[in-house]
Amino acid sequence: MATYNFSAGPAVLPHEVLQQAREELLDWHGSGMSVMEMSHRGKEFMSIAAAAESDLRSLLAIPANYKVLFLQGGAHLQFAMIPLNLLRGKSSADYVNTGEWSKKAIAEAKKFSSVNIVASGADKNFINVPMFDTWQRDPNAAYLHYTSNETIGGVEFNWVPETGEIPLVADMSSNILSRQIDISKYGLIYAGAQKNIGPAGLCIVIVREDLIGHVSPGTPTMLDYKIHADNDSMYNTPPTYGIYVAGLVFQWLKRNGGLAQMEQINISKANLLYQAIDVSNGFYNCPVVKSDRSRMNVPFTLKDASLDGEFLKQADTHGLLQLKGHRSVGGMRASIYNAMPLEGVQTLVDFITHFAKQYG
Ligand SMILES: *Cc1c(COP(=O)(O)O)cnc(C)c1O
């Protein structure tokens, strides 16, 4: 039986990529070594890392004046590295609060900076993105930070804030590479790899060059973007296997039509699933307002929460895995990242429709 993995992260990888990794596991391209056994400074791994970077650059059309960094510490470490590097002598930064991940970024930034919350979805229980014309921005902010997709709440920006001269910073951990974006609108983008890129342990940072090199005094060396940029992300040992698998994913995306094609498939998948939820006559509910619903993470509840256990049990027997919602919100969550095929979403839709008929 085919299985489909709806985990929020670490998450599904393209089947073809896993097969290729398996084929290359013991002996990468006749080198006599596994990628896991290679020196990060040897010519083999240097070529793997260079290809990964150049494929990512072409997928996202990253302009030449941006650095691509392969780091560790996850998105969580970026919550601290961003203020440490981007304050540049200023005392305050703007943050948009759209849910759980925004809150974590804000809490960490407060250790290093004053934080101006320009807008918050809290008063509506985080079911929408606050409208741009209500944002109360600080004209002297060092940067503006937002979470382009709230992985837990299922709220996604379908537009890009226009911040003019103030560098725009985005946590794209759960929607990077899911759609086309204009990198030149951003000062910095970061994403933990384990949602929509590859295995856990790698965090990708794309940062405009002029924002590098202004780290706050006393910052540890490892938290300075400049150190990593000057050393091509090899100041210390990078997460080599994660970079390799991410590189295979980038090649898979390129073979399959790049981000334009991926975006169309992601729209189809999301429409299919939300449609099934919305026509269930309240058996299922997604609280997020329609215009701000995530294409990647679809949270939904059952009207009768006492059926949650039965739902999950039956889903499992249908090969539909890891649908349990985040512990903070309960219910269900289907994460439908790039690597989730349309058939997986169709199988889920068939299952939830049948379950609702059975128990509704
Ligand atoms: C998962 C996630 C994080 C945390 O990532 P780690 O790699 O565990 O630090 C941060 N932001 C968003 C939007 C996420 O989805």
Side-chain angles (χ1 to χ4, degrees), residues 67-105:
K67 293 285 187 190
V68 173
L69 308 177
F70 295 123
L71 306 182
Q72 297 176 69
H76 276 88
L77 190 54
Q78 295 311 307
F79 296 162
M81 281 177 78
I82 287 160
L84 284 168
N85 284 266
L86 265 49
L87 278 174
R88 295 163 296 141
K90 297 201 174 206
S91 59
S92 184
D94 279 354
Y95 277 74
V96 185
N97 182 7
T98 49
E100 295 304 314
W101 289 115
S102 298
K103 284 194 247 175
K104 282 216 160 177

Side-chain angles (χ1 to χ4, degrees), residues 20-165:
Q20 187 177 349
R22 180 176 66 184
E23 277 152 28
E24 297 178 347
L25 182 67
L26 300 183
D27 179 4
W28 182 82
H29 293 200
S31 65
M33 297 177 278
S34 173
V35 175
M36 280 184 256
E37 306 170 306
M38 288 174 182
S39 164
H40 56 296
R41 304 196 191 279
K43 66 178 189 318
E44 295 88 354
F45 185 75
M46 298 281 272
S47 77
I48 290 170
E53 174 172 343
S54 104
D55 287 337
L56 181 64
R57 282 184 174 277
S58 86
L59 282 167
L60 283 166
I62 300 175
N65 63 324
Y66 285 73
K67 293 285 187 190
V68 173
L69 308 177
F70 295 123
L71 306 182
Q72 297 176 69
H76 276 88
L77 190 54
Q78 295 311 307
F79 296 162
M81 281 177 78
I82 287 160
L84 284 168
N85 284 266
L86 265 49
L87 278 174
R88 295 163 296 141
K90 297 201 174 206
S91 59
S92 184
D94 279 354
Y95 277 74
V96 185
N97 182 7
T98 49
E100 295 304 314
W101 289 115
S102 298
K103 284 194 247 175
K104 282 216 160 177
I106 290 164
E108 189 70 4
K110 281 183 174 166
K111 296 188 164 187
F112 309 102
S113 172
S114 46
V115 167
N116 171 46
I117 307 294
V118 301
S120 171
D123 52 346
K124 293 202 175 109
N125 208 17
F126 298 114
I127 56 161
N128 71 330
V129 172
M131 299 231 300
F132 190 59
D133 60 11
T134 66
W135 292 17
Q136 301 201 316
R137 292 168 49 207
D138 170 2
N140 292 313
Y143 58 87
L144 183 142
H145 178 284
Y146 78 111
T147 309
S148 60
N149 183 60
E150 287 283 356
T151 320
I152 295 172
V155 170
E156 183 172 17
F157 277 76
N158 58 28
W159 46 278
V160 178
E162 295 286 346
T163 51
E165 293 297 299

